[in-house]
Amino acid sequence: MGGNGRPGWRWLDLRALATSIVAARPEWRDSHVARVVYCTTPIDGASNPSGAADQEIYLRALRAAKAVDEITKGRYITKIVKAPLAVRGPKGQAILAAPTWPVMVQDPAGQPVPDARFLVSVAQREEKGSDVNVASHLLLDLLHQRITAAVVISNDSDLAFPVAQARELIPVGMVNPSKNYTAGALRGSPHAGVGRHWWRSLRDTDLTAAQLPVQIGAITRPPGW
């Protein structure tokens, strides 16, 4: 959500965002934000030099403004994958592409094969490590008793197990930053474990209201941010 193509969203003050979200929760009255951890992945400077430079400026700004306590970086890997050709259905589901004019498939006897499938090979960039880093920080902060509640801003279903374990010990707020529905694996009962858990989605106004100053020391917000 936010970011690409939307000036006024990307220069985000993560501590201010977390503080405003927590302050609005009646279940967590008198709470305060003690620690902000940002897990991200560096943009590839070879394929996107301007994006990588802008991202580095942003990370420097977060540190300079004390908008985070820690930044942990994952990585991208590029690989070639093969998969059946598909199109997006009306509900976002994958629908396998079938032969149709002008691309038809015939068997050795020259007869149409209406249920044939097309196998394609594509280059895929995959983010690695961010979900593991989020889970690790959540559980380490619990282990070292640095927090008494946690807000997790993610809709990654891979976090289901660590989040469920955390709910047994502390209240957990889940914030969905995407336009999709909250992942089913991340849902649950407000009363599970120690209780006082909650769920919400990130709104446009949350982002526009929590922006860093344009100038932070010698650091200036990149154009278009």
Side-chain angles (χ1 to χ4, degrees), residues 31-215:
S31 298
H32 70 279
V33 176
R35 178 171 165 78
V36 178
V37 176
Y38 180 40
C39 298
T40 187
T41 300
I43 295 172
D44 180 13
S47 61
N48 186 359
S50 62
D54 287 352
Q55 183 188 42
E56 186 55 36
I57 291 171
Y58 176 56
L59 297 182
R60 286 170 47 213
L62 288 175
R63 296 186 183 100
K66 301 187 186 308
V68 294
D69 295 289
E70 188 165 345
I71 297 174
T72 301
K73 298 178 181 179
R75 69 189 190 281
Y76 279 108
I77 63 170
T78 302
K79 58 185 179 180
I80 303 298
V81 298
K82 293 182 179 179
L85 181 64
V87 297
R88 181 181 295 274
K91 296 183 179 180
Q93 75 277 26
I95 300 177
L96 296 182
T100 184
W101 181 262
V103 180
M104 307 293 290
V105 177
Q106 293 181 336
D107 63 19
Q111 297 302 310
V113 184
D115 59 349
R117 294 291 177 255
F118 302 103
L119 190 66
V120 297
S121 179
V122 298
Q124 182 182 76
R125 294 186 74 236
E126 183 178 356
E127 185 177 358
K128 302 291 287 186
S130 290
D131 52 351
V132 174
N133 291 337
V134 171
S136 298
H137 278 293
L138 174 62
L139 298 180
L140 283 171
D141 284 346
L142 274 171
L143 175 66
H144 295 292
Q145 299 182 342
R146 291 190 284 249
I147 57 175
T148 56
V151 176
V152 180
I153 303 179
S154 177
N155 197 36
D156 190 336
S157 59
D158 288 344
L159 295 173
F161 180 76
V163 166
Q165 297 306 302
R167 288 181 186 137
E168 295 296 317
L169 302 172
I170 59 172
V172 177
M174 292 298 307
V175 180
N176 178 3
S178 76
K179 295 180 180 179
N180 299 323
Y181 292 111
T182 298
L186 296 176
R187 299 174 189 172
S189 167
H191 311 295
V194 298
R196 293 198 298 152
H197 314 302
W198 48 265
W199 292 258
R200 60 158 291 186
S201 294
L202 205 57
R203 297 185 289 264
D204 297 3
T205 52
D206 295 324
L207 303 176
T208 55
Q211 296 293 302
L212 293 163
V214 173
Q215 191 79 30

